[in-house]
Amino acid sequence: MRVWVFHNSGTKSMDAAHALSKKLQAAGFQVSPARPEVVITVGGDGTLLSAFHRYNASLDSIRFVGVHTGHLGFYTDWRDYELDELVTALKADNGQRIGYPLLDVKVTYADDSTGHYVALNEATLKRVTGTMKTDVMISGNFFESFRGDGLCISTPTGSTGYAKSAGGAVLHPRLEALQMTEIASINNRVYRTLSSPIIIAPDEWVTLKPVPGINYTMTVDQFSMSDRPVKAISYRIASERIYFAKYRHMHFWDRVEDAFIGAKK
């Protein structure tokens, strides 16, 4: 099996990654960044996010495993003191995996050129220096004219991040759905929005058509773009999926409880 260990720049993560690489090589694994079958990230959820975007052209042939060097994250099943157990699990691997939906983002710029992105967590359209104004279309039909700071479109796995902070619901990652959450919407006698998170069905899509001539900031996960005027952005469930090697994948609601409540401690 070809395995690659992807880590962040933290000292603890680098030490754990080096130790894990040595253990994998001693166990007979080929440790290489070229065409890996399993990518093991060492760090946190942000590290896994970076690895996802590095290998997003080969998602169908890669399974991810997360090792956390801090608090347990939503994408990490192993701790840095469990490296021997992880190597043992990899040696018994039979290709088992669990897949979660991703967000497909297609942008049409003002000059009619296009861009295509895939997000693991969420994508947003915002205006930092003033009110964002955009028409919202659902499956090609006009839904509302939004006024406010911005809109966040999230995947189920991303629903515990920015979307939750903006008042969105927490979705189980097995749901094939997207969520649109308003960011500080304006609601008065002139401007009205639903002012509630919206769950989008698997066969539907959301299109934003912002007022032209204004600079907007578009984000896709941790990447931010504001240098090109946007004509329209469409969001839907991607044809690609992210796959995790399922050795002892932690129950999703246990992750939520541990991250936000902590009553079991």
Side-chain angles (χ1 to χ4, degrees), residues 106-110 112 124-126 131-147 151 153 180 205-214 216 218 229-235:
K106 292 184 178 179
V107 187
T108 302
Y109 296 102
D112 288 326
T124 69
L125 185 67
K126 299 182 288 185
T131 301
M132 186 181 87
K133 303 175 183 180
T134 182
D135 285 343
V136 179
M137 318 287 289
I138 298 180
S139 299
N141 298 311
F142 175 80
F143 180 72
E144 66 180 14
S145 290
F146 175 84
R147 303 292 187 275
L151 289 166
I153 315 295
M180 183 177 74
W205 64 95
V206 174
T207 302
L208 305 183
K209 295 183 176 181
V211 172
I214 299 175
Y216 300 95
M218 180 182 69
V230 172
K231 179 186 290 187
I233 310 178
S234 291
Y235 308 89

Side-chain angles (χ1 to χ4, degrees), residues 193-226:
T193 67
L194 185 61
S195 192
S196 174
I198 299 174
I199 309 300
I200 308 298
D203 59 344
E204 296 187 321
W205 64 95
V206 174
T207 302
L208 305 183
K209 295 183 176 181
V211 172
I214 299 175
N215 290 329
Y216 300 95
T217 297
M218 180 182 69
T219 70
V220 178
D221 286 335
Q222 73 270 45
F223 302 105
S224 178
M225 294 154 274
S226 58

Side-chain angles (χ1 to χ4, degrees), residues 74-87:
F74 278 92
Y75 295 121
T76 53
D77 291 313
W78 301 83
R79 303 299 297 270
D80 54 342
Y81 51 77
E82 299 177 308
L83 301 182
D84 289 328
E85 291 90 336
L86 174 55
V87 173

